[in-house]
Amino acid sequence: GVTVLRYGGSMINHREYRWKNMIGPRERRPPYRGTWYRHSSNGWGIFDFLNFCEEAGFLGIPAVNMDETPQEMADFIDYVNGSKLGEWGGRRAADGHSKPYNLKYLQLGNEEAVNESYWTRFKPMAEAIWAKDPDIILVVGDFAYNEEIEDPYSFKGGTAVKTLETHRKILELARQNNREVWFDLHISTDSPPQPDGVPGVKSFAEQLGRICPGARYKVVVFEFNAGNHEFRRALSNATAINQLERIGDRVRIACSANCLQPYKQNDNGWNQGLLFLSPSEVWAQPPYYVTQMVSTNYLPFCVKAEARSPENALDVTAKKSEDGRVLALQVANIKGIQVPARIMFDGFKPGNKTARVTQLVAELNDINTPEKPDNVKPVESEWKHGGGDSSPLFVFPAYSFTILRFE
């Protein structure tokens, strides 16, 4: 069910992370001093990532270091999207990829302080990139805004900045060049009642529209971050997705960090892989199944939903199909109590008296291991609801994520 992969994070912030060291035969690519490891390999880099995404059918979005020069970024665009008859397109062809990658999205930086220093680097890089390919949508590598923003030029809760003045400049540059620009914000999903920062994401998106009317922009969340891969993190991810989807189409993409994690090889605090791997196996952790459940049950339109429950246990997002014939409820129960609930519809009447149920239930600290790879896994079932407001109660288990699909 994966549709998007973003290749970025703190690894790209080291000054030795350079795209020109990632091309050509692997054995000739120079190693570098990395963010996480003193000795890092360029054996897997941006273009290996793009090759993988191309074969897998994913939308791939890479990130580059903010200290790349404008000329280096112009060369980058020639390499990924240029004709093989050109210098850098010819190098791409020689590296085994004859056709252009047709890259559409490119992130500049990661968890940056979007201030005057960022602006002085972003502007010439953006102009060089757009001069080569005006269809590229640039993603600002922003950070986190953990509180609601009331005054765009003076606020608390921003991890790195307290004003959106530089954001206004970026939006104005994009508007003047008739380009769209995105902003990447990160939130914490370590354990319920997290996620932290979604109200900040919502107000941030609203303020961007106010400080530069007419500019085209979106907000993306490229990192749900946590220090664990347990079910508690899965439940926080589910709640984050629910809340972000309720913001509407201002939020274009939501991704969870990290995708892959080698079993028993993690040596930093980000012990949060969705898929674990060993030399002989790959298995999913609970947060992976949240992504899969939402993707499998995707519907394009969010509709109003109201939920009343003890201790505010239930977080509910409702979505419908384009023709209005299918309605899905995504329900995260973030408390350790069962919640019997009556589901009532306004403006929708199911024709099918049976709903499809997909449910992920576990204890907060549960994980999947090589010995028990299916310890936490979604269960499919059906629920005979009767099709009206007199339907029987549906019981949402303690600590659970449930998707009910009505037709």
Side-chain angles (χ1 to χ4, degrees), residues 44-58:
W44 172 266
I46 289 173
F47 309 104
D48 307 289
F49 163 77
L50 292 177
N51 291 337
F52 170 67
C53 289
E54 187 176 72
E55 292 297 322
F58 302 154

Side-chain angles (χ1 to χ4, degrees), residues 135-147:
D135 293 327
I136 290 282
I137 291 180
L138 295 178
V139 184
V140 175
D142 214 319
F143 201 176
Y145 299 85
N146 294 323
E147 297 178 14

